[in-house]
Amino acid sequence: MKLVQINATCGAGSTGRICVSISETLSAKAADNYILYASGQSDYVRGLRYMRHKEVKLQALRSRILGNYGFNSKAATRRLIMQLDAIAPDIVHLHNLHGHNCNLEILFSYFKEKRIKLYWTFHDCWAFTGYCPHYEMVNCTKWQTGCQHCPQKGHFSWLFDRSPYLFKKKKEIFTGLDLTIVVPSDWMAKQVKQSFLHNYDIKVIHNGIDLSVFCPTESDFRQRYGCQDRFLILGVAFGWDARKGLDVFIEMAKRLDERFRIVLVGTDDRVDRQLPKNVISIHRTGNQAELAAIYTAADLFVNPTREENYPTVNMEALACGTPVLTFRTGGSPEILDDNCGAVVDKNDLDGMEREILRIFEKSPYTRQACLERAKEFDRHSRFEEYVKLYEEKNPVFD
C-alpha cells in the first residue's frame, strides 16, 4: 500500500510538521509513503518538491489580480499529477491546498478519474468557503448557504470579489469523491457539518506535540529579564495582530500593576512599536527547547485568539507545566479541562482581567495537573490514530 500526502510545505510550519510526523509513523511500520510539497526547502528523505519558489510567488500574484484563489498553478498541478502517476498511490492524504500550490479543478478531476481514496485534514475552513480560512472575526455565516459580497475580499483579491464563483466551483469539485474528512477539533467538525461537505465521513483526530521537547525545562529566563518576583504572563504567536489578540495584551499591560509582567514571543519591529514599555518582547527563539524553557518560566499562558481551530501553543504550554487562559474561540477551549486552565468569552477584556487576578491570587492550577492533561497530546498516540484510520477504511493496508 502506497500513501502520498500533499501539502504546501514539508517539515516547516504546523502543517508541514504534521505531515512529517504522519510520514515517520508510517515509515516505522515499513509503509511506503511520500510528501509532495510546493514551498520552502526540506531535507526530509520522503519529501518531493514540485514547485519553484518564484513559481509560487507568481501564482500568488495571479490570484491577487484575478481573484481566482485556488484556480491558478496549472503547470505545477500537471507536474504534481505526473509525480502521482509515477508513485501510483492507493491513498492520497491532503492537507493545505491554499498555498497557491495547485489548481483545484485539474487536481480533483484527476482524483475522480483515478478513483483515488482521499483523506483531507482541514487545518482551517478554506475548503468550504469562497475565500476565507477563518470567518469568526467578521461574524460571517454566508458560507453556510453561498458566499457573496465577501467582507474579507481585500485580503485575497485587489480587484474582484469572486467568492460566489469560487464557492460554487468548490461545491461542484468537492462532491462525488471517495473522501474522509479529518478535523483537529470538535468545533471544526460542527462547522463542516453545516457546510456543503456535510455528507462525508468526518473523523476528529486532535493534533499532537513532541512531549520529549515540550516538557518542564529549567532556565535562567526570569533572572535574565529581571522578573524573578513577578507573575509572568506569556503569549506566543507568529504573526501578531488583532486575530492573535495583540490588542488584548496591550490593554492588559495597561491594566495590570507591577506585580505582573507580560512576555510576548514571536514579535518583530512592527509589533514592538505598538507595545507598552512594560512588555518583554522576544522576536524569535533559537529552537523549540528554548521555547519550552520560556513556557516553563511563565506562571500563566494567555491565548486571546479570535479565530482558531486547535492551537498548538495551548498544548505546548500545558506540556511545560503552565496553565492556560483562553478566549472561547474555535477549538481552543477543548484543549483544557477544569484542572489546568480557564476560558472567558471572546473579547471579554474585563473577564480576562478578572481571571488573571483570580489565578494570581488563588493559584488554582498545579503544574502536575497541567502535565497530566498534556499526556493527551502525545504526538505518537495522535498520529497512530491516522494509521488506524487508514487501516479501518482500507483493509489491505498493513
Side-chain angles (χ1 to χ4, degrees):
M1 176 69 67
K2 292 182 182 178
L3 184 144
V4 166
Q5 296 181 79
I6 301 175
N7 189 48
T9 60
C10 176
S14 58
T15 60
R17 289 192 292 272
I18 288 169
C19 288
V20 169
S21 294
I22 293 173
S23 176
E24 289 174 341
T25 304
L26 290 167
S27 297
K29 299 178 180 295
D32 196 7
N33 73 95
Y34 303 89
I35 301 171
L36 302 185
Y37 70 102
S39 300
Q41 298 292 337
S42 174
D43 58 2
Y44 184 60
V45 65
R46 295 185 180 274
L48 301 172
R49 186 176 175 182
Y50 64 90
M51 288 185 77
R52 298 178 296 274
H53 177 72
K54 289 183 178 179
E55 193 175 11
V56 175
K57 293 293 186 182
L58 176 61
Q59 300 311 317
L61 178 62
R62 287 175 61 87
S63 291
R64 280 283 191 169
I65 294 171
L66 300 175
N68 59 347
Y69 196 3
F71 290 86
N72 291 296
S73 308
K74 293 182 179 180
T77 306
R78 294 189 182 101
R79 205 179 305 131
L80 169 61
I81 287 172
M82 288 177 63
Q83 289 187 307
L84 288 171
D85 278 337
I87 298 169
D90 302 282
I91 297 173
V92 171
H93 188 152
L94 308 171
H95 292 273
N96 183 352
L97 298 185
H98 53 90
H100 309 289
N101 53 329
C102 74
N103 180 290
L104 296 174
E105 189 161 26
I106 295 173
L107 183 60
F108 280 82
S109 293
Y110 171 81
F111 290 147
K112 289 178 181 179
E113 177 187 345
K114 296 292 184 178
R115 298 182 179 179
I116 292 176
K117 174 61 186 175
L118 296 175
Y119 296 85
W120 193 351
T121 298
F122 286 2
H123 301 284
D124 54 43
C125 308
W126 180 82
F128 50 87
T129 71
Y131 280 124
C132 306
H134 298 280
Y135 39 69
E136 284 191 286
M137 277 189 69
V138 294
N139 296 314
C140 182
T141 58
K142 295 176 183 177
W143 55 273
Q144 296 177 12
T145 53
C147 290
Q148 56 182 310
H149 306 299
C150 179
Q152 302 191 94
K153 185 271 295 184
H155 294 293
F156 306 101
S157 175
W158 291 322
L159 302 174
F160 309 108
D161 178 8
R162 304 191 69 186
S163 59
Y165 169 79
L166 295 176
F167 181 88
K168 290 177 182 177
K169 287 298 291 183
K170 286 182 180 180
K171 186 174 182 180
E172 171 191 333
I173 291 167
F174 298 159
T175 55
L177 299 164
D178 185 359
L179 172 64
T180 298
I181 295 171
V182 181
V183 293
S185 65
D186 294 329
W187 174 84
M188 179 62 82
K190 292 176 182 176
Q191 304 302 293
V192 178
K193 288 174 182 175
Q194 297 176 71
S195 77
F196 60 76
L197 298 170
H198 64 274
N199 287 326
Y200 286 116
D201 288 341
I202 302 169
K203 172 71 173 178
V204 178
I205 298 180
H206 299 308
N207 294 334
I209 57 173
D210 189 342
L211 296 183
S212 69
V213 173
F214 291 101
C215 57
T217 305
E218 298 304 319
S219 71
D220 64 347
F221 180 85
R222 283 177 170 268
Q223 289 79 7
R224 279 188 287 123
Y225 287 93
C227 49
Q228 297 96 315
D229 58 347
R230 307 294 176 87
F231 187 84
L232 218 59
I233 298 170
L234 176 64
V236 176
F238 300 95
W240 280 105
D241 56 13
R243 177 177 168 248
K244 294 296 185 181
L246 176 61
D247 58 302
V248 177
F249 281 109
I250 292 172
E251 179 62 23
M252 290 300 114
K254 296 174 182 176
R255 294 188 183 195
L256 298 172
D257 59 36
E258 283 301 308
R259 296 173 296 174
F260 301 86
R261 184 66 78 238
I262 293 174
V263 178
L264 296 186
V265 175
T267 54
D268 55 26
D269 292 339
R270 173 190 61 82
V271 173
D272 287 347
R273 288 191 289 270
Q274 303 175 59
L275 295 177
K277 294 186 182 300
N278 61 342
V279 174
I280 297 171
S281 173
I282 300 175
H283 285 198
R284 61 178 61 85
T285 56
N287 52 50
Q288 290 184 320
E290 185 178 338
L291 181 57
I294 300 173
Y295 279 124
T296 305
D299 294 293
L300 177 65
F301 181 78
V302 174
N303 187 3
T305 178
R306 292 184 169 100
E307 291 181 324
E308 201 61 74
N309 188 352
Y310 199 78
T312 302
V313 289
N314 290 11
M315 295 185 281
E316 292 171 349
L318 293 176
C320 295
T322 302
V324 174
L325 172 61
T326 184
F327 277 160
R328 196 179 310 281
T329 305
S332 190
E334 297 175 32
I335 295 173
L336 311 181
D337 62 23
D338 293 339
N339 300 313
C340 67
V343 180
V344 298
D345 289 338
K346 184 168 60 176
N347 296 323
D348 183 359
L349 300 192
D350 292 337
M352 179 73 76
E353 181 184 9
R354 284 194 300 271
E355 278 301 301
I356 290 173
L357 293 172
R358 181 185 72 86
I359 294 168
F360 168 70
E361 292 167 357
K362 297 183 179 296
S363 300
Y365 310 116
T366 66
R367 172 169 290 195
Q368 190 55 45
C370 295
L371 297 177
E372 193 63 30
R373 177 62 176 170
K375 292 178 182 178
E376 298 292 322
F377 313 131
D378 177 54
R379 68 171 184 171
H380 300 293
S381 299
R382 297 290 73 76
F383 296 120
E384 281 284 350
E385 290 187 53
Y386 278 105
V387 177
K388 291 178 182 177
L389 181 62
Y390 302 146
E391 292 172 338
E392 173 189 322
K393 299 285 187 177
N394 305 275
V396 294
F397 185 87
D398 57 40

